[in-house]
Amino acid sequence: MANSASGIAVHDDCKLKFLELKAKRSFRFIVFKIEEKIQQVTVETLGQPDETYDDFSNALPPNECRYAVFDFDFVTDENCQKSKIFFVSWSPEGARIRSKMLYASSKDRFRRELDGIQVELQATDPSEMSFDIIKSRAF
Protein backbone atom coordinates (compact mmCIF):
# COMPACT_ATOMS: atom_id res chain seq x y z
CA MET A 1 0.00 0.00 0.00
CA ALA A 2 1.43 3.39 -0.95
CA ASN A 3 1.89 6.15 1.57
CA SER A 4 -0.56 8.94 0.87
CA ALA A 5 1.93 11.66 1.86
CA SER A 6 4.79 10.52 -0.35
CA GLY A 7 3.41 7.72 -2.56
CA ILE A 8 6.04 5.27 -1.26
CA ALA A 9 5.15 1.59 -0.91
CA VAL A 10 6.79 -0.88 1.47
CA HIS A 11 8.14 -4.12 0.02
CA ASP A 12 6.88 -7.23 1.87
CA ASP A 13 10.49 -8.31 2.45
CA CYS A 14 10.95 -5.32 4.80
CA LYS A 15 8.26 -6.59 7.15
CA LEU A 16 9.35 -10.24 6.86
CA LYS A 17 13.02 -9.52 7.63
CA PHE A 18 12.00 -7.27 10.54
CA LEU A 19 9.86 -10.09 11.99
CA GLU A 20 12.87 -12.42 11.69
CA LEU A 21 15.01 -9.88 13.56
CA LYS A 22 12.37 -9.41 16.25
CA ALA A 23 11.15 -12.98 16.77
CA LYS A 24 14.02 -15.23 15.72
CA ARG A 25 16.90 -12.79 16.30
CA SER A 26 18.18 -13.79 12.85
CA PHE A 27 19.80 -10.39 12.29
CA ARG A 28 21.55 -7.75 14.41
CA PHE A 29 20.41 -4.92 12.15
CA ILE A 30 18.62 -4.11 8.89
CA VAL A 31 19.24 -1.10 6.65
CA PHE A 32 16.34 -0.03 4.42
CA LYS A 33 16.53 2.09 1.30
CA ILE A 34 13.87 3.92 -0.70
CA GLU A 35 14.23 2.88 -4.33
CA GLU A 36 13.17 6.16 -5.91
CA LYS A 37 12.66 4.72 -9.40
CA ILE A 38 10.03 2.24 -8.19
CA GLN A 39 8.85 4.35 -5.21
CA GLN A 40 9.30 1.54 -2.70
CA VAL A 41 11.17 0.88 0.55
CA THR A 42 13.41 -2.19 0.18
CA VAL A 43 15.94 -4.08 2.31
CA GLU A 44 19.50 -2.97 1.51
CA THR A 45 21.67 -4.65 4.17
CA LEU A 46 21.16 -7.45 6.68
CA GLY A 47 23.57 -7.54 9.62
CA GLN A 48 24.30 -11.01 10.94
CA PRO A 49 23.71 -11.72 14.67
CA ASP A 50 27.43 -11.61 15.49
CA GLU A 51 27.95 -8.15 13.95
CA THR A 52 28.56 -5.14 16.18
CA TYR A 53 27.22 -1.63 16.53
CA ASP A 54 30.27 -0.40 14.57
CA ASP A 55 29.30 -2.71 11.70
CA PHE A 56 25.82 -1.20 11.84
CA SER A 57 26.98 2.41 11.78
CA ASN A 58 29.44 1.62 8.96
CA ALA A 59 26.56 0.16 6.91
CA LEU A 60 24.93 3.62 6.72
CA PRO A 61 26.22 5.60 3.72
CA PRO A 62 27.86 8.95 4.59
CA ASN A 63 25.88 11.01 2.05
CA GLU A 64 22.60 9.16 1.51
CA CYS A 65 19.47 8.82 3.64
CA ARG A 66 18.37 5.45 5.04
CA TYR A 67 16.07 3.89 7.59
CA ALA A 68 17.52 1.23 9.85
CA VAL A 69 16.68 -0.98 12.80
CA PHE A 70 19.20 -2.22 15.34
CA ASP A 71 18.63 -4.94 17.94
CA PHE A 72 20.56 -3.75 21.00
CA ASP A 73 21.41 -6.30 23.71
CA PHE A 74 22.36 -5.04 27.15
CA VAL A 75 22.51 -6.02 30.80
CA THR A 76 20.51 -3.96 33.30
CA ASP A 77 21.80 -2.77 36.68
CA GLU A 78 19.90 -5.73 38.15
CA ASN A 79 22.02 -8.04 35.95
CA CYS A 80 19.13 -8.96 33.62
CA GLN A 81 19.80 -9.62 29.94
CA LYS A 82 17.54 -7.36 27.84
CA SER A 83 17.12 -6.26 24.26
CA LYS A 84 15.58 -3.19 22.64
CA ILE A 85 14.89 -2.56 18.98
CA PHE A 86 15.92 0.88 17.78
CA PHE A 87 14.57 2.59 14.66
CA VAL A 88 17.06 5.04 13.15
CA SER A 89 16.13 7.64 10.59
CA TRP A 90 19.49 8.49 8.98
CA SER A 91 19.51 11.79 7.09
CA PRO A 92 23.11 13.06 6.77
CA GLU A 93 23.90 16.71 6.04
CA GLY A 94 25.42 15.80 2.65
CA ALA A 95 22.34 13.99 1.32
CA ARG A 96 20.28 15.46 -1.52
CA ILE A 97 17.43 17.74 -0.39
CA ARG A 98 14.89 15.74 -2.41
CA SER A 99 16.04 12.53 -0.73
CA LYS A 100 15.78 14.09 2.75
CA MET A 101 12.24 15.27 2.00
CA LEU A 102 11.22 11.85 0.67
CA TYR A 103 12.58 10.01 3.70
CA ALA A 104 11.04 12.53 6.12
CA SER A 105 7.57 12.33 4.52
CA SER A 106 7.61 8.51 4.42
CA LYS A 107 9.09 7.81 7.87
CA ASP A 108 5.96 7.60 10.03
CA ARG A 109 4.10 5.33 7.66
CA PHE A 110 7.11 3.02 7.26
CA ARG A 111 7.77 2.91 10.99
CA ARG A 112 4.16 1.86 11.64
CA GLU A 113 4.74 -1.16 9.38
CA LEU A 114 7.44 -2.37 11.78
CA ASP A 115 5.52 -3.41 14.88
CA GLY A 116 7.81 -3.74 17.90
CA ILE A 117 10.09 -0.70 17.63
CA GLN A 118 10.90 0.45 21.16
CA VAL A 119 13.17 3.47 20.65
CA GLU A 120 13.36 5.93 17.77
CA LEU A 121 16.38 8.05 16.84
CA GLN A 122 16.83 10.70 14.18
CA ALA A 123 20.45 11.29 13.14
CA THR A 124 22.12 13.66 10.70
CA ASP A 125 25.64 12.91 11.90
CA PRO A 126 27.33 9.79 13.38
CA SER A 127 27.75 11.58 16.72
CA GLU A 128 23.94 11.76 17.07
CA MET A 129 23.74 7.96 17.12
CA SER A 130 26.90 7.07 18.98
CA PHE A 131 27.04 3.88 21.02
CA ASP A 132 26.83 5.97 24.22
CA ILE A 133 23.56 7.56 23.03
CA ILE A 134 22.15 4.12 22.16
CA LYS A 135 23.10 2.84 25.63
CA SER A 136 21.57 5.85 27.39
CA ARG A 137 18.30 5.55 25.43
CA ALA A 138 18.02 1.81 26.18
CA PHE A 139 17.66 2.27 29.95
Side-chain angles (χ1 to χ4, degrees):
M1 181 189 304
N3 176 344
S4 58
S6 65
I8 297 295
V10 177
H11 193 282
D12 287 343
D13 214 26
C14 295
K15 292 177 263 189
L16 293 172
K17 296 299 181 195
F18 177 74
L19 285 173
E20 286 180 42
L21 176 141
K22 185 174 89 169
K24 297 179 187 169
R25 317 233 27 212
S26 301
F27 308 108
R28 172 67 54 204
F29 63 85
I30 306 171
V31 178
F32 303 96
K33 176 182 184 178
I34 295 178
E35 296 288 350
E36 291 187 36
K37 286 184 176 35
I38 58 172
Q39 296 286 292
Q40 189 173 58
V41 181
T42 60
V43 172
E44 181 180 55
T45 308
L46 296 169
Q48 297 310 306
D50 60 343
E51 292 195 65
T52 65
Y53 188 75
D54 286 337
D55 296 321
F56 167 66
S57 50
N58 290 333
L60 297 171
N63 291 311
E64 292 179 41
C65 299
R66 293 293 186 271
Y67 300 126
V69 291
F70 182 77
D71 186 6
F72 179 61
D73 292 327
F74 61 100
V75 177
T76 65
D77 294 337
E78 295 82 35
N79 211 23
C80 293
Q81 185 71 33
K82 293 229 172 177
S83 168
K84 284 208 174 162
I85 298 175
F86 281 73
F87 178 86
V88 178
S89 179
W90 173 245
S91 186
E93 295 289 330
R96 294 181 1 256
I97 299 292
R98 175 175 161 69
S99 179
K100 289 182 188 184
M101 290 171 55
L102 185 59
Y103 275 80
S105 65
S106 304
K107 181 184 81 160
D108 289 340
R109 161 81 172 49
F110 178 62
R111 192 189 171 292
R112 280 195 305 271
E113 294 283 336
L114 307 178
D115 185 37
I117 300 289
Q118 293 153 309
V119 183
E120 185 173 329
L121 280 179
Q122 173 116 13
T124 60
D125 176 270
S127 67
E128 294 176 354
M129 52 174 268
S130 69
F131 190 70
D132 289 338
I133 289 174
I134 295 289
K135 279 196 321 199
S136 71
R137 296 286 302 273
F139 288 94

